[in-house]
Amino acid sequence: MRILVTGGAGFIGSNFVSAMARDRPDAVLTVLDSLTYAGSRASLSAIDGSIDFVEGDIVDARLVNRLVSDADVVVHFAAESHNDNSLVDPLPFLQTNIVGTYTLLQAVRHHDVRYHHVSTDEVYGDLELDDPAKFTELTPYNPSSPYSSTKAASDMLVRAWVRSFGVRATLSNCSNNYGPYQHVEKFIPRQITNILTGVRPKLYGAGKNVRDWIHVEDHNAAVWRILEAGEIGRTYLIGADGELDNLSVVRMILELMDKAPDDFDHVADRAGHDLRYAIDSSTLRNELGWQPRYNDFRSGLQATINWYRDNPTWWANDKDAVELRYQVQGA
Ligand code: NAD
Ligand code: DAU
């Protein structure tokens, strides 16, 4: 099977490609990635000989068309992915997340290639802290940020291309991922690398906001299961029942890194900050038989801390620039 993976040098995409190279030696893997600040060739160095890497932009229709014509399946991870950046400069989000998805859809339509669209639970907006409800496949779209609104738009394009043009696509909307190779701008790696560089962790507002954590390997196993057995046109929600508020996550990181529980700073809150995400993944579990393997967040977090401690060369070059950006935002 020839698989084209967009965004394969990013956090989730590089973990996906590495897992495929490890577990599916029959797969012929091509990565298309424009290596923005968030992409890194180093994330793929261990499997360099097993993949074809193409540096290029998903809005480049000629390039996308050529690569798609050589593929049996496209898995689309590429995106501008960080909410905070989308509040400062939304345009790249519109360009990559909407126009990029459109470009891929036109190519898979033209060449009749199977397509999987990787999306986020943020398209559903947020839930109250004390609401027993979780997001399901039927929850209405209600995105809050420029990032999530462009992801919502891209999901809508996929649904329209399925219905109007018969494109063979599936979609998945996943909750917050953690694990190795996540950019240091994101919450968990930021706090781990802060502590490793002698800086106090930074918590937005009071830290009551809840995220539903899932290990990146569990997300990617679900994506693969959907590719194998998912029904065309369907959306699957991916989550591992990992709800935790941000304060608890910071305190757990501090404890696992032998720091005092209050050794962190409260900083300016994010504008429009979503309160709570929570995923009901029963459709995926019941219909496709997927189960998360990383059920103990604490030990997954410890392994993630160890990975950042053991791999400073992977993240050190980005750290100063990221913290400078946050300083300007008062975060
Ligand atoms: P990331 O920011 O770590 O990686 C994105 C990758 O896409 C980078 O390698 C970047 O270079 C590449 N890219 C960006 N613009 C491009 C363009 N125009 N052309 C080609 N490549 C481009 O993101 P991530 O956290 O790995 O997220 C991957 C996907 O999963 C995204 O679609 C995101 O919306 C979705 N998602 C992420 C999470 C999460 O918790 N991180 C959860 C649910 C869904
Ligand atoms: O839910 C899925 C989404 O999860 C993905 O679609 C996004 O691509 C991904 O970035 C993530 O979005 P979040 O905004 O939830 O993740 P982030 O890591 O930026 O922040 C997680 C929580 O931690 C959020 O409530 C904001 C808070 N936070 C973040 C940072 C960077 C802090 O308290 N301090 C920080 O320094």
Side-chain angles (χ1 to χ4, degrees), residues 170-223:
T170 41
L171 302 92
S172 56
N173 296 77
C174 187
S175 59
N176 285 65
N177 286 218
Y178 73 98
Y181 298 105
Q182 187 169 29
H183 197 271
V184 290
E185 69 188 352
K186 301 295 194 320
F187 179 51
I188 287 179
R190 184 184 184 202
Q191 314 316 334
I192 296 171
T193 55
N194 274 356
I195 294 172
L196 291 173
T197 53
V199 175
R200 283 156 66 93
K202 310 292 179 208
L203 192 63
Y204 292 178
K208 289 196 163 66
N209 306 61
V210 169
R211 296 295 182 264
D212 189 353
W213 294 99
I214 181 172
H215 194 277
V216 64
E217 293 249 0
D218 282 333
H219 179 184
N220 283 330
V223 167

Side-chain angles (χ1 to χ4, degrees), residues 81 120-122 147 176 190 202 204 211 246 270 273:
S81 69
T120 169
D121 58 357
E122 295 193 18
Y147 161 68
N176 285 65
R190 184 184 184 202
K202 310 292 179 208
Y204 292 178
R211 296 295 182 264
N246 294 338
R270 174 184 284 171
H273 197 171

Side-chain angles (χ1 to χ4, degrees), residues 35-310:
L35 296 178
T36 67
Y37 78 94
S40 167
R41 283 294 271 119
S43 305
L44 297 167
S45 55
I47 52 158
D48 249 351
S50 325
I51 61 165
D52 188 11
F53 185 86
V54 179
E55 182 174 344
D57 199 312
I58 56 166
V59 306
D60 178 346
R62 189 187 294 248
L63 173 65
V64 164
N65 208 46
R66 178 169 65 73
L67 294 174
V68 168
S69 73
D70 279 338
D72 301 308
V73 174
V74 174
V75 187
H76 177 34
F77 290 97
E80 285 293 338
S81 69
H82 194 38
N83 278 297
D84 291 324
N85 294 343
S86 81
L87 294 162
V88 176
D89 182 12
L91 188 57
F93 289 74
L94 275 75
Q95 191 64 11
T96 288
N97 300 357
I98 303 177
V99 181
T101 298
Y102 159 77
T103 307
L104 284 159
L105 284 169
Q106 286 291 72
V108 295
R109 172 190 171 196
H110 187 69
H111 297 286
D112 189 23
V113 168
R114 170 86 168 87
Y115 172 87
H116 181 73
H117 186 71
V118 178
S119 192
T120 169
D121 58 357
E122 295 193 18
V123 299
Y124 300 114
D126 60 355
L127 299 159
E128 292 300 324
L129 294 179
D130 57 358
D131 186 345
K134 296 184 174 201
F135 298 137
T136 74
E137 284 82 359
L138 300 175
T139 304
Y141 275 40
N142 188 25
S144 315
S145 73
Y147 161 68
S148 53
S149 62
T150 59
K151 291 297 293 187
S154 71
D155 291 10
M156 293 302 172
L157 293 179
V158 179
R159 291 175 180 202
W161 261 242
V162 169
R163 174 154 174 170
S164 299
F165 305 123
V167 161
R168 292 182 293 125
T170 41
L171 302 92
S172 56
N173 296 77
C174 187
S175 59
N176 285 65
N177 286 218
Y178 73 98
Y181 298 105
Q182 187 169 29
H183 197 271
V184 290
E185 69 188 352
K186 301 295 194 320
F187 179 51
I188 287 179
R190 184 184 184 202
Q191 314 316 334
I192 296 171
T193 55
N194 274 356
I195 294 172
L196 291 173
T197 53
V199 175
R200 283 156 66 93
K202 310 292 179 208
L203 192 63
Y204 292 178
K208 289 196 163 66
N209 306 61
V210 169
R211 296 295 182 264
D212 189 353
W213 294 99
I214 181 172
H215 194 277
V216 64
E217 293 249 0
D218 282 333
H219 179 184
N220 283 330
V223 167
W224 179 247
R225 186 71 197 127
I226 294 165
L227 275 167
E228 278 182 327
E231 195 182 313
I232 297 303
R234 285 279 292 276
T235 289
Y236 296 89
L237 262 56
I238 307 173
D241 296 330
E243 281 187 71
L244 275 174
D245 65 50
N246 294 338
L247 177 60
S248 303
V249 174
V250 161
R251 287 240 157 94
M252 205 183 289
I253 293 171
L254 285 164
E255 186 200 331
L256 293 171
M257 297 182 78
D258 297 322
K259 297 285 173 193
D262 290 330
D263 204 359
F264 68 89
D265 297 324
H266 289 280
V267 293
D269 207 350
R270 174 184 284 171
H273 197 171
D274 279 340
L275 261 184
R276 172 175 161 250
Y277 305 141
I279 288 272
D280 174 350
S281 59
S282 49
T283 302
L284 180 66
R285 293 173 193 239
N286 297 337
E287 291 188 20
L288 301 190
W290 170 86
Q291 295 283 346
R293 288 175 50 239
Y294 291 79
N295 290 306
D296 179 3
F297 178 73
R298 196 184 169 81
S299 64
L301 185 61
Q302 179 69 73
T304 305
I305 291 170
N306 295 346
W307 188 87
Y308 282 91
R309 188 179 277 132
D310 294 345

